[in-house]
Amino acid sequence: MSNEYEIDDPSFVRVTAASHPTTIGDPIANAHSALDAIKQYAGSEIIVFGELSLTGYSCGDLFAQDLLLEKSIDALELLASQTHDQVVVVGLPLRVENKLYNCAVLIAQGQVQGIVPKQFLPNYQEFYEARWFCAANGSEAKSVSIAGMGEIPFGIDVLFDLDELVLGIELCEDLWMPIPPSSLQAAAGANLILNLSASNELIGKADWRKTLIRSQSGRCLAAYAYASAGPSESSTDVVFGGHCLLVENGAVLAESERIGQSGCTWLEHSQATADVDLQKLTHDRQLSNSWQIASQRCNAMNPIPYRRISIVRRQVSDGSQRQVNARPFVPKEGPALHARCAEIFGIQCASLTQRLRKLPADMKLNIGISGGLDSTLALLVAAKTCQSQGWPSSRIHAITMPGFGTTDKTLASARDLMQHLEVESEEIDIREMCFDTFRALQHKPFGMGIDGLDLDAFVDRLGELPPDKLNDLVFENVQARTRTLILMSRGFVLGTGDLSEQALGWSTYNGDHMSMYNVNTSIPKTLVRFLVRYLAKEEFQGPASQCLLDIADTPISPELLPPSSEGEIQQETEASIGSYELHDFFLYHMIRFGCGPKRILQLASLAEFSQPFAEEEIRQTLTIFLKRFFGNQFKRSCVPDGPKVGSVSLSPRGDWRMPSDADSAAWIAALEDAEKSL
């Protein structure tokens, strides 16, 4: 699919936080500098510049000069006259009722729409703002009259309403307070906070600043655009770095260069631009009852009710710049990769440790090993758990149970893995038991009579069947349930099924679907493969490492149907139901953010998958996902205990409570409608 689509979804809004070159004390020059920058960001709906950007933050006692204040108004008028479709927010000093305020001014559609003064003025160490400005506290005039611009809303109680988008504004120091104004603004409905700042660069300050912005964005369940003054400000005593950030609910969407970062010694311009997803923020606010309670309390305590300034929203971007991760469950490459993988594996091991500590010390941990991904990860968790607790690896009783679909390759992998991990191992061929069950049930596998056949003759006949005849659910279910019977007859069973299989119902009910505990229950298939590869490199060395890498490269299959005449896997799961990469993508966006089919398709069009998928393949796979997801809730309603690892879980005792007889018709119809409109 295309990497861009025409935006017809108002929940996306492109925002730019920017720092432009500043001429200290020359508002007209700064207005032209801002206009040049605005042209560069023509696709952004919202543009916010740094604190006092029309004069320069570092004017000092020049703020007391009438000429500077008058020229600031002229510069504002110039800027407003040439700002039409975009919303632009700039900083300037403004005299109101004989008091001077450090203000943020919002311009849209050729007019100044509102002005927000700064509430908290730093007056310590290198800062002296109280020398020039008055701190706003809500007692100010509710509007100001500016020649040529009319009466303009003014105050700390102003929000800007653009339909789904509600803007709140705070200035620099406001953010660093115990209760920032943005907390109250978010409680009153703001979902995008703009911060005009002049934060100087000191050793370590940038990391703390970034942490603060991420934290505030996450607490407010909002997007946060932060624009700081740049190095063209006066360097008499300090240096400003031009640090710009765009954060959404704690996640950094975009970040500019800044002075002192990676050898950066000068910046003419700096900016951070990204598409904010308002629908995600709305979903999280709707889902969090704690946030709703906090909002109600904040609103009740706030002595100054907010005024909403309505502005007609005009979308100006011609395509999305939203970065959509094609593998949202898989950790990104980078410095944090090792820590994230270790964290996931550690959660799995800790959960199993706690469960095993409640069992008799001599009780075996039984696990079925197929030579595939899921059972491999579960066995690695068990092995590490025993190692960390000082329990002998022989406490793990690993059983491989080859059946009619088992290939030489996966059987060899299962044997090698059990040997390399030095666990107690056993091999039980289940074919005779299954064959006897077919007889007892008077079942004819694939329509083939079995009277008078022994097992060897039956297996030979299976090998002669053409692929289009290999469709027999009883044949598959008997094998899965036989394996579960063997395992559970031995005692405590460690489950291996993953989150993706739960979502799709790709398991045999009361077969591989059931166990006494499942450490993989919230690990999706794409993450299982990734973790096995990671553990092969970082945790398990020597021959075990190569064995794990071989398993990670093996096609995913339940191996319940006979292999090909060449002994290769013939029943590949992804050939039947579609790519797990797509299914995991659908699962994440549907469950985590409540996305409907149209939105999922739009997001998929922006994602760079590991291989190109045709539009029709994505839509067909989404249809399969929706039908199977709704049709298999009955299996999820009684899954075993297991740890939640990520933000998505389908546990009926935790995140996902859904009636087993819910209907997918509305979702399928929405998908069909989306196919017509996209």
Side-chain angles (χ1 to χ4, degrees):
M1 298 183 77
S2 169
N3 284 332
E4 289 194 351
Y5 63 90
E6 294 297 318
I7 292 183
D8 59 357
D9 187 343
S11 62
F12 284 107
V13 55
R14 185 167 304 165
V15 182
T16 293
S19 175
H20 61 72
T22 301
T23 303
I24 302 165
D26 191 341
I28 300 300
N30 291 328
H32 284 293
S33 181
L35 288 170
D36 289 342
I38 291 168
K39 291 176 184 177
Q40 295 181 43
Y41 315 130
S44 294
E45 285 187 62
I46 312 293
I47 302 173
V48 56
F49 294 110
E51 188 174 8
L52 294 166
S53 53
L54 283 186
T55 59
Y57 176 81
S58 50
C59 284
D61 285 346
L62 292 177
F63 286 124
Q65 296 291 309
D66 288 346
L67 182 61
L68 183 70
L69 303 182
E70 292 166 4
K71 288 298 182 182
S72 296
I73 298 300
D74 293 342
L76 181 62
E77 191 170 10
L78 170 64
L79 196 58
S81 68
Q82 298 189 41
T83 301
H84 302 292
D85 293 332
Q86 295 163 292
V87 173
V88 176
V89 183
V90 296
L92 87 168
L94 183 67
R95 186 161 51 205
V96 179
E97 297 179 335
N98 299 316
K99 298 175 183 177
L100 190 63
Y101 293 94
N102 178 347
C103 296
V105 181
L106 187 141
I107 305 167
Q109 296 149 26
Q111 297 180 352
V112 174
Q113 302 286 349
I115 302 172
V116 178
K118 188 172 182 177
Q119 298 185 45
F120 298 95
L121 304 179
N123 214 58
Y124 51 85
Q125 296 176 334
E126 63 266 40
F127 298 105
Y128 292 93
E129 285 189 37
R131 178 180 175 94
W132 311 297
F133 299 110
C134 180
N137 59 18
S139 63
E140 300 78 28
K142 294 298 182 184
S143 64
V144 295
S145 180
I146 300 178
M149 295 184 236
E151 200 74 16
I152 300 168
F154 176 86
I156 63 174
D157 59 342
V158 173
L159 298 178
F160 300 92
D161 196 331
L162 294 85
D163 297 324
E164 294 89 348
L165 174 63
V166 180
L167 301 177
I169 298 175
E170 62 186 3
L171 290 92
C172 199
E173 185 81 354
D174 292 346
L175 168 64
W176 299 70
M177 295 299 98
I179 304 178
S182 54
S183 295
L184 299 176
Q185 293 167 359
N191 50 15
L192 172 58
I193 305 299
L194 309 178
N195 187 312
L196 295 77
S197 182
S199 184
N200 61 312
E201 295 304 322
L202 300 171
I203 296 172
K205 187 175 181 179
D207 288 340
W208 172 234
R209 182 193 302 133
K210 184 175 177 179
T211 298
L212 193 66
I213 294 167
R214 291 185 61 189
S215 175
Q216 182 65 359
S217 167
R219 282 197 301 269
C220 291
L221 294 181
Y224 201 105
Y226 178 93
S228 186
S232 54
E233 289 282 356
S234 172
S235 60
T236 298
D237 290 301
V238 295
V239 171
F240 297 92
H243 197 186
C244 298
L245 282 160
L246 192 56
V247 181
E248 179 185 280
N249 193 10
V252 177
L253 300 182
E255 182 176 7
S256 73
E257 282 190 289
R258 61 171 179 81
I259 295 299
Q261 178 188 38
S262 301
C264 179
T265 58
W266 186 256
L267 288 170
E268 289 292 335
H269 300 266
S270 60
Q271 61 87 22
T273 298
D275 287 359
V276 169
D277 191 340
L278 302 178
Q279 189 270 345
K280 285 187 174 182
L281 298 174
T282 299
H283 177 268
D284 283 350
R285 288 183 174 187
Q286 171 190 320
L287 210 61
S288 175
N289 64 315
S290 298
W291 189 90
Q292 295 165 17
I293 293 169
S295 297
Q296 292 168 356
R297 291 180 181 177
C298 285
N299 291 330
M301 291 187 298
N302 189 6
I304 309 174
Y306 281 95
R307 291 175 284 164
R308 294 281 190 105
I309 309 302
S310 295
I311 301 173
V312 176
R313 183 179 173 194
R314 297 177 181 174
Q315 290 181 284
V316 296
S317 55
D318 57 1
S320 178
Q321 290 185 357
R322 180 79 179 188
Q323 297 294 313
V324 178
N325 187 0
R327 291 164 293 281
F329 292 108
V330 176
K332 293 182 180 180
E333 297 286 342
L337 175 62
H338 185 282
R340 179 61 60 87
C341 292
E343 183 178 27
I344 294 168
F345 191 57
I347 292 172
Q348 290 182 282
C349 292
S351 70
L352 183 58
T353 299
Q354 171 64 5
R355 184 51 58 100
L356 292 181
R357 289 175 63 189
K358 300 300 180 181
L359 300 178
D362 60 348
M363 180 172 283
K364 295 285 188 179
L365 176 61
N366 297 283
I367 178 171
I369 303 301
S370 66
L373 282 170
D374 293 338
S375 63
T376 294
L377 179 58
L379 182 58
L380 295 178
V381 172
K384 184 67 175 181
T385 297
C386 287
Q387 180 188 28
S388 65
Q389 295 301 308
W391 298 330
S393 59
S394 59
R395 184 173 186 182
I396 302 169
H397 184 196
I399 310 173
T400 188
M401 295 166 281
F404 296 110
T406 303
T407 60
D408 292 341
K409 183 179 189 306
T410 54
L411 180 57
S413 294
R415 290 167 174 166
D416 290 346
L417 184 63
M418 294 186 295
Q419 178 184 352
H420 296 322
L421 295 180
E422 298 179 345
V423 299
E424 182 179 282
S425 62
E426 184 177 5
E427 184 172 322
I428 301 176
D429 190 325
I430 65 167
R431 292 179 300 173
E432 190 74 57
M433 295 176 65
C434 294
F435 190 55
D436 290 341
T437 303
F438 298 149
R439 290 185 187 279
L441 296 175
Q442 298 182 350
H443 178 65
K444 297 180 178 180
F446 310 106
M448 176 176 60
I450 59 177
D451 290 341
L453 296 178
D454 60 14
L455 178 61
D456 291 337
F458 175 66
V459 171
D460 290 341
R461 292 280 299 275
L462 289 177
E464 298 169 359
L465 293 173
D468 60 345
K469 294 293 185 181
L470 297 180
N471 183 14
D472 188 332
L473 195 58
V474 174
F475 181 82
E476 297 186 49
N477 286 343
V478 165
Q479 293 177 79
R481 291 194 174 106
T482 297
R483 289 181 171 126
T484 303
L485 172 65
I486 292 171
L487 287 168
M488 289 197 168
S489 297
R490 303 299 177 92
F492 186 91
V493 178
L494 183 63
T496 62
D498 63 52
L499 179 65
S500 306
E501 292 177 343
Q502 288 179 29
L504 296 165
W506 196 253
S507 59
T508 299
Y509 190 86
N510 206 32
D512 49 336
H513 147 269
M514 190 49 60
S515 66
M516 281 71 172
Y517 194 72
N518 184 0
V519 291
N520 291 343
T521 189
S522 66
I523 309 289
K525 188 73 76 176
T526 49
L527 182 54
V528 172
R529 188 188 296 276
F530 184 88
L531 284 173
V532 169
R533 287 196 175 113
Y534 161 78
L535 294 169
K537 297 175 182 177
E538 301 294 337
E539 289 283 348
F540 297 89
Q541 308 302 319
S545 176
Q546 186 56 53
C547 178
L548 293 176
L549 293 174
D550 290 342
I551 290 171
D553 291 333
T554 302
I556 299 168
S557 171
E559 289 196 319
L560 296 172
L561 295 178
S564 68
S565 57
E566 292 80 21
E568 300 294 329
I569 293 174
Q570 193 160 241
Q571 184 188 18
E572 293 193 18
T573 300
E574 291 176 297
S576 300
I577 60 174
S579 167
Y580 270 117
E581 189 174 30
L582 289 177
H583 284 299
D584 285 355
F585 184 87
F586 303 152
L587 172 64
Y588 178 80
H589 289 285
M590 179 176 171
I591 302 303
R592 175 64 183 85
F593 296 111
C595 295
K598 180 178 180 180
R599 186 170 182 79
I600 289 174
L601 290 178
Q602 289 177 328
L603 293 171
S605 76
L606 301 175
E608 294 186 5
F609 294 102
S610 61
Q611 64 183 79
F613 293 109
E615 291 183 19
E616 185 59 27
E617 182 177 0
I618 293 177
R619 292 170 184 172
Q620 287 179 352
T621 306
L622 181 53
T623 301
I624 292 171
F625 174 83
L626 291 170
K627 289 181 177 179
R628 292 195 66 92
F629 184 84
F630 277 84
N632 286 280
Q633 175 61 32
F634 72 98
K635 294 182 182 179
R636 295 190 293 270
S637 293
C638 57
V639 295
D641 294 350
K644 179 178 179 179
V645 171
S647 59
V648 175
S649 169
L650 294 176
S651 169
R653 298 167 296 277
D655 293 54
W656 192 252
R657 295 168 176 83
M658 173 181 168
S660 295
D661 48 7
D663 201 309
S664 65
W667 278 260
I668 299 299
L671 175 58
E672 293 171 352
D673 290 342
E675 291 173 359
K676 297 173 185 176
S677 63
L678 287 176

